[in-house]
Amino acid sequence: MELLFLCILIALMVGALISGFPVAFALPGSAILAISLAALCGWLFAGDTGAYFADGGPTQWLTAGVTNFRSLYWEVERDTLIAIPLFIFMGIMLQRSRIAEDLLVAMAQLFGPVPGGLGISVVIVGALLAATTGIVGATVVAMGMISLPAMLRNNYDKSLATGTICASGTLGQIIPPSIVLIILADQLSSAADQASTIRATEYRAVTGEFSMPSHLDVVSASAGDMFMGAIIPGLVLVALYILYILATAVLKPKSAPPVPYDGEYDRSFLRNVVKALVPPLALIVIVLGSILTGVATVNQAGAIGAIGAILMGGYRIFKGDKHVYLPAILAGVSIVGIALVLSIWEINVKNLTTPGQTFGFVLAVFFSLVLAFAVFWSTWRVFKTDDTLNQVMTETIKTTSMVFIILIGAAMLTAAFRAFGGEELVRHALTSLPGGFWTQFLVVMLVIFLLGFFLDFIEIAVVVVPLVAPILLAAPDANVTAVWLGVMIGLNMQTSFLTPPFGFALFYLRGVAPKIVKTLDIYKGVVPFIGLQLFALLIVGLAPPLVNYLPNRTFLTSENAPPPMNPKLQQCLEVEVFDYYAKHEQDILKALDTMAGVDISVLPSSYQQSIGSVIDQSRQTFAKVDQVNQAKLVIAEASMNYRDLHIDVRARERQIRQLEAAIEEHNAYIDNARFDDSISEQNLADAEADIAILESDISQLQSEVPPQWQSENERYQALLKDLKIARLGYQNHVDNAYRPLQEILRVLNSASRLAEQQSAVAALDNLITNNDADTAMDGIKVLEDQLDAIPGAESVRSLVTKARRALRGDSPDAQEALAFKDQALAQLASDVAWMNEANSSVLPALKKLDKAIGYNIGVRLQDRLTDRLALDIAACQSTHKDVSLSF
């Protein structure tokens, strides 16, 4: 019966959407009607409102709905949704500011003389508007009203002209900042958590280990990551559009003729182009640049974009003649001033210690006030001019409300879908497909593409993605990132704006196109661009680094980048460092030999031994590398024969676990029958018969497991263990080899700091003599803490500690404390003496050795990666690697 109500749920939803019922109410309405009907039928025919639910009943569905509502609005982790109204406001404000009109005119004049230039200008303007407004309807309507008549006047083919406008107008769905990407990031972050749980459960079931290695975990996605991941695919799509228009203009000159510019390419023309291009480009750079560089979060960048849109609107729609650009100029100057102040002084309001910092703080306050005044001035202009601000705010509230109501409705629909067992049905249908992840992925992408003919992108993002994304992300045979999956889905959903019969871009253009343009012309025009979008989808699918590289690069080169010791970096770090060893082994050995010939007798014996250990162990590193490479080679050879067997048996084991779970449910049903009089004997008999069938199926699956499985699996696991041991052996070896060198360098570089403590140690004489024991001990403890922070001060600190301890107890011994103070002073002078001598005779050689081995043998102990290593590891992590044999 659950399947019947699942079909009713889907039928209600499809019927409501096809009939034109508002999406915001169609989704929750379908869920409420289906849940109510199932509960009513259960109460009437079975005496239990939850009888026809696969999981719980209407009460559990209501609880799930409340949980989803709370998570949507109160969970801190989902705060990226705050960016939605900010970017919507920015887009509507810029659209009302007629930025599109200025851009189109300037680009048409600039590219018109080129064959197909007018079409190319439409694509470029579409890309620029996508990175500023991001609103498909506004972009298509604006370009349709301005550029379509010009293209038709200049004998452009009607299909090419309309197709170019529709396709360019949809670029805002993939080029950031995009509302689609924000919604996808929100949905995929939850999906990644579910996928991680699925993987951890699977790993525990097949290995018996409770903790899964971090490199096997699912890589999640934030809105910022999605923005960065979509930049290159968006540019690929723009390039494909331009190449298509150029090719059409060359092959069919009459379909896209050049349009000569009637005016002169003089200063006036240049000034108009700059005035049209610079403001939106500056806004793009500031908004996206702040995200890419890590200066601002997506929410903060949205606020920046909203303020930038107000500043642009303040001069663009202003009808006065005086001081048109003054607010924007004041804002620009103040921003530059604040940036200069922050680059010169490190300003902390609570700790202004120098006159320069105080002056910088005053300047920062002044520029901030000027910026606030400029923003207020522009806001007042927008408010007073044609009631623009009120209209923009109203439209923003309407659009934002629609998005959030759809999110809530989709959460209710998804909960209902799960209540009727739909999620398990989808999971079983996908996981049972032959071919693993790629078959599942192709089926899902085909379904999304077909749904795009009838549904909007928001419905697909919030209804389909939560159901299928956890399954795809959990698949270990592809091990894709959530960012890549999100961008692929985003590119696919972009076609929904172009695919008839419900492609919204088609309707938008139809509404403003002249009567000479028939609907069939628009449909014919978008077909090649749909093909180009699918081709772009293929390119991105075959080249994951196009999506993954920028997020990885930004993360690994940021201030918050993980240290080289991070477990998730180890495999890619190993690849890069081993490659360096292969190319520079002789250089490293030569550096070690050079260090071995340096006279280090000035150093204490313990440090001499440490340097000898560094040289000896570093020479042995290459043997450890060979062990790891040999273990990897053995694994690679064994995997070729083992893979098919592993995949086959693991698939059967998953089926067995599913059947065992079904048996547990039946047994629970039978146990509950003792307390539920409504369950008949026939129902119990049916449940027991089902259990017998399930047990028979399990026996059949177990009998199909090849007899050599146990021995082959144990052999392969032993090889994996050997590789793990070899890697850990290498990592421990290089850490132990480099650590003494790192410590000696820290000691020698701290000689001046230690020397500065000489007066503090000497002052202990007065402290001990002229104060009571408690006061003296407190003062000595302060000195101990200072010495603790200085590498190489251990001997001095130990003697200072003994001086303090001599003052403890009922009978403090000041003379003993003074004696230890004298020893500490002598030790400090001795340590500083040998450090200074070593700094002139040994330190240069140690620095050369550190330069030779610091970022290969010693890389794991560094605070952060070098830029070169960070970029190489980012490239390494940008490809998808099959990890299925670990499960």
Side-chain angles (χ1 to χ4, degrees), residues 68-143:
N68 286 332
F69 180 81
R70 287 177 59 84
S71 68
L72 195 63
Y73 285 98
W74 280 284
E75 278 190 11
V76 177
E77 291 80 3
R78 301 186 74 171
D79 67 339
T80 51
L81 294 178
I82 297 172
I84 290 178
L86 294 172
F87 284 122
I88 290 175
F89 176 88
M90 180 181 76
I92 296 175
M93 178 61 73
L94 290 176
Q95 184 262 330
R96 294 296 178 92
S97 303
R98 300 193 292 274
I99 299 296
E101 180 179 343
D102 295 343
L103 279 172
L104 278 168
V105 171
M107 290 295 98
Q109 294 172 349
L110 193 62
F111 289 97
V114 179
L118 202 53
I120 293 172
S121 69
V122 169
V123 174
I124 294 175
V125 171
L128 292 174
L129 292 179
T132 51
T133 66
I135 300 176
V136 170
T139 304
V140 172
V141 169
M143 292 196 297

Side-chain angles (χ1 to χ4, degrees), residues 437-636:
F437 167 84
W438 291 108
T439 302
Q440 300 169 14
F441 176 71
L442 290 174
V443 169
V444 167
M445 296 302 280
L446 178 61
V447 169
I448 290 175
F449 176 72
L450 295 176
L451 287 175
F453 282 79
F454 309 100
L455 300 180
D456 192 6
F457 71 92
I458 296 182
E459 296 95 275
I460 298 174
V462 299
V463 174
V464 178
V465 173
L467 296 175
V468 300
I471 302 169
L472 297 177
L473 291 174
D477 52 330
N479 196 32
V480 300
T481 62
V483 176
W484 179 84
L485 181 62
V487 171
M488 291 293 289
I489 292 174
L491 275 171
N492 196 352
M493 288 195 305
Q494 189 180 350
T495 62
S496 67
F497 283 92
L498 300 181
T499 47
F502 298 120
F504 285 91
L506 312 180
F507 292 141
Y508 294 141
L509 185 60
R510 176 68 277 175
V512 297
K515 293 182 179 180
I516 191 175
V517 177
K518 296 181 171 47
T519 303
L520 185 60
D521 294 327
I522 300 176
Y523 282 5
K524 286 169 58 180
V526 298
V527 170
F529 290 95
I530 294 173
L532 291 174
Q533 288 180 339
L534 295 178
F535 183 56
L537 196 64
L538 178 64
I539 293 174
V540 176
L542 295 176
L546 292 177
V547 175
N548 294 328
Y549 178 71
L550 270 183
N552 288 336
R553 176 194 176 111
T554 304
F555 176 58
L556 292 177
T557 56
S558 68
E559 292 183 0
N560 299 320
M565 184 70 78
N566 189 289
K568 291 187 176 182
L569 303 181
Q570 295 313 300
Q571 292 200 9
C572 284
L573 182 62
E574 178 184 289
V575 171
E576 300 304 322
V577 172
F578 281 19
D579 181 63
Y580 185 87
Y581 289 150
K583 297 176 181 177
H584 300 281
E585 179 179 350
Q586 295 304 316
D587 295 335
I588 294 173
L589 290 174
K590 184 178 179 180
L592 294 170
D593 292 338
T594 302
M595 187 67 226
V598 174
D599 181 10
I600 58 174
S601 58
V602 66
L603 299 176
S605 59
S606 59
Y607 288 133
Q608 293 182 35
Q609 293 174 3
S610 294
I611 292 179
S613 173
V614 170
I615 295 171
D616 292 340
Q617 291 199 54
S618 296
R619 284 172 174 162
Q620 297 169 21
T621 297
F622 305 104
K624 295 291 183 180
V625 171
D626 291 340
Q627 292 176 9
V628 175
N629 287 333
Q630 182 61 32
K632 288 164 67 175
L633 183 61
V634 171
I635 281 285

Side-chain angles (χ1 to χ4, degrees), residues 382-396:
V382 174
F383 175 71
K384 297 297 289 183
T385 305
D386 297 331
D387 200 27
T388 302
L389 183 61
N390 181 52
Q391 295 175 13
V392 171
M393 293 292 289
T394 302
E395 288 298 317
T396 301

